[in-house]
Amino acid sequence: MNIKRRLTLKFVLQLAIAGTVVLLIAGITLFWMLQRFVEISITRNFATVGLEQLVDSSWIGKDGIQFTPSLLEQVKKNQGWLQSVDENGHVVSAYNSPDDVPRQYGPGELIAYWTGGQPFPYELAVWIQQKNGKLYTLVYGAPNRLDPVLKQVREGSFPVEDKQLVLPGALAGEISAAQAFIQLIDSTGKELVSYNKPNAVPSQYTVQDLALRTLYSERYGYRMKTSYDEQTGRTWLVGEPNDRWATNSGKKPLIPEEAEVLLIGSGVMFAVLLTLFILLSLWQAHRFGAPMLHMLVWLDSIGKAVYHEPVDRRGLHPSRTPAGKWRRRYRVFAEVMVSIEKLSATLQRDQAMREQSENWREEWIVGITHDLKTPLSSITGYAHLLAEPAYDWSQEEVRKFSATMLDKSAHMDMLINDLAMTYRLKAGILPLEAMEVELNAWLEQTLVQAAADPAYGKQRIVFHAAQKDVRTRLYTPWLERVVNNLTANSLLHNPSDTVLTVSLLASEDGGRITIQFADDGDGMDEATLSRLFERYYRGTDTASTSNGSGLGMAISKGLIEAMGGRITVETKLGEGTIIRLIWN
């Protein structure tokens, strides 16, 4: 698996895990908020929501029907009581039931108490539901504080001082203990008198406002009961705070409880997600940032010609264990690290080769300078002899001196041309104009001309032509120079009995052409072979022959490649050398 797939898999997996954790946290927060909303609903209106929850969460045990302890605790907290009644009106089980509550109900008795047709000291709520094939009837009772107070203020007559009722001590104490309030409004809904009225309760009502506050008391924080007098058109209002807002001051909290739950849940979720994000960022920085920073530092060191991998304070490579294996966080970048290692090794090797090439160039310049000075000294010497008036040279001596001067001049010209050619090839020159040639005939003629050189000896070049004509387009002056260079190398730098065999090979379709130069000379060692085509490497001393420049192989390789071919060498010390010129 390459680094792209590994990184993609890593990031996708991490995003999936992070997304799952975020969804889990959001789910837990949402579940908690829903639970709290249910608890608020139960506290606000246990007579409906709480009873339904009791039935849904109940189960049949060895002692009969069982209820969730937390819901029973809420019943006690509301100062209420609970009874389970069978189909005959018998109380099967009870919780926190006071002594003045019946243990059995007649068919009409429970309905009379429930609907208010018969006086009862508690507010009743009845829930009937079938579960697991059985019919459950739950009776929930809560203290009825408003009806007695409403009856007293409706039937009594109390003085008024500054729009405030003056109540007797017992009634005033009962109202204060219940944190209740009393209002008397006229037919227009305007308040006439009141007692213990909180600031949150309005002094003016519309028909809709009073109806909503009476039916949906949980929205406004106070449960109210009313009594309308037809003769006067006035209405008595008695209210008490819901349990969830019952405080020592009896005032409504600044933030509604639902909003408080929402704020707490959202705040906790945001804090947890922020913490998770910070931890994930630190982990990502440790997991991915540290290796990337290490690689950047390494690349920066490479830019400063320091090719070794950076080490830590202990002198160890942070990317590897003492055993030499990749550390876990570096494994995903293993391919990149290996590439940087190869780059470092290549640059280090190239730097060493450049330094070595500089040394070879210096040596080559010294050698070329010597090679140029030697024939130049000869030319200068003979020129001085010819110009010396004290001597009267014969025509034979003049011709001898002139021939020597021409030979040395030609040698200098060859050295200068070779040097110029190497720089032209380095600049990427192309052949002037390729021409169509039949290689069998052309190569045979070129080798005949080369074999005429007296320095090579006789019958040391053997030519094997292709079985059919081989026609191609090449720049023959360059190819001739390559042939002459390879011929000279084989015959001048090997023993005098070395034979050079030149073969022309061509594929059936003519798509591949090979000119092979094979000699049975001394061959070359690995060091010489590795430097054979380097510009400044001289495998032999130029003084060994008057025709050598030390640039022949570098020029030959450059010319062949400029003509679209390639050159290969096979050699072994003591077994000769095979050089192939190949065009595909």
Side-chain angles (χ1 to χ4, degrees), residues 303-535:
K304 298 176 181 177
V306 179
Y307 303 112
H308 299 288
E309 181 180 357
V311 296
D312 56 18
R313 297 178 180 177
R314 298 172 297 174
L316 301 176
H317 296 300
S319 61
R320 295 185 182 271
T321 63
K325 296 182 178 180
W326 293 110
R327 295 188 185 275
R328 183 165 183 171
R329 56 180 173 171
Y330 286 87
R331 290 176 188 169
V332 68
F333 300 102
E335 292 180 1
V336 180
M337 297 287 289
V338 170
S339 297
I340 296 177
E341 282 184 342
K342 292 180 179 179
L343 175 63
S344 298
T346 301
L347 292 175
Q348 190 172 10
R349 183 173 64 253
D350 289 346
Q351 184 183 31
M353 291 180 64
R354 283 196 303 271
E355 294 174 355
Q356 192 174 32
S357 296
E358 288 294 326
N359 294 332
W360 291 341
R361 185 175 65 176
E362 295 297 328
E363 295 176 0
W364 181 83
I365 290 175
V366 171
I368 286 293
T369 303
H370 175 268
D371 290 345
L372 288 172
K373 283 185 176 181
T374 299
L376 183 59
S377 298
S378 298
I379 294 172
T380 304
Y382 282 114
H384 281 300
L385 288 176
L386 291 174
E388 181 60 44
Y391 297 93
D392 187 13
W393 305 105
S394 65
Q395 289 187 356
E396 182 180 355
E397 289 175 325
V398 171
R399 282 194 296 271
K400 180 179 179 181
F401 293 163
S402 299
T404 302
M405 293 171 67
L406 288 173
D407 181 62
K408 298 301 181 182
S409 298
H411 181 55
M412 289 180 64
D413 184 64
M414 182 191 67
L415 292 175
I416 294 172
N417 288 337
D418 285 353
L419 181 60
M421 181 59 74
T422 59
Y423 284 97
R424 292 178 64 196
L425 291 173
K426 185 178 180 182
I429 64 168
L430 297 175
L432 297 178
E433 183 180 357
M435 56 196 73
E436 186 173 346
V437 62
E438 200 286 305
L439 282 181
N440 277 321
W442 181 89
L443 191 57
E444 183 177 11
Q445 181 181 358
T446 302
L447 291 174
V448 168
Q449 293 176 357
D453 192 331
Y456 297 162
K458 296 181 179 182
Q459 298 181 351
R460 294 182 63 188
I461 300 177
V462 178
F463 174 63
H464 295 305
Q467 296 180 356
K468 61 180 182 178
D469 290 349
V470 178
R471 294 190 173 276
T472 186
R473 296 185 63 84
L474 293 171
Y475 187 57
T476 54
W478 283 6
L479 185 58
E480 181 179 1
R481 184 163 186 174
V482 172
V483 171
N484 290 334
N485 283 342
L486 298 181
T487 303
N489 277 354
S490 295
L491 299 180
L492 295 180
H493 302 297
N494 278 307
S496 58
D497 59 347
T498 300
V499 175
L500 173 64
T501 302
V502 181
S503 304
L504 178 59
L505 308 173
S507 60
E508 291 295 331
D509 57 358
R512 181 185 177 95
I513 300 173
T514 302
I515 302 176
Q516 177 176 291
F517 295 79
D519 65 56
D520 56 355
D522 294 336
M524 292 177 283
D525 55 21
E526 292 294 332
T528 302
L529 178 61
S530 63
R531 303 175 183 177
L532 184 61
F533 297 110
E534 292 177 3
R535 287 179 59 202

Side-chain angles (χ1 to χ4, degrees), residues 186-197:
D186 60 16
S187 59
T188 64
K190 183 178 180 181
E191 178 185 299
L192 298 176
V193 294
S194 65
Y195 179 81
N196 201 33
K197 188 193 75 170

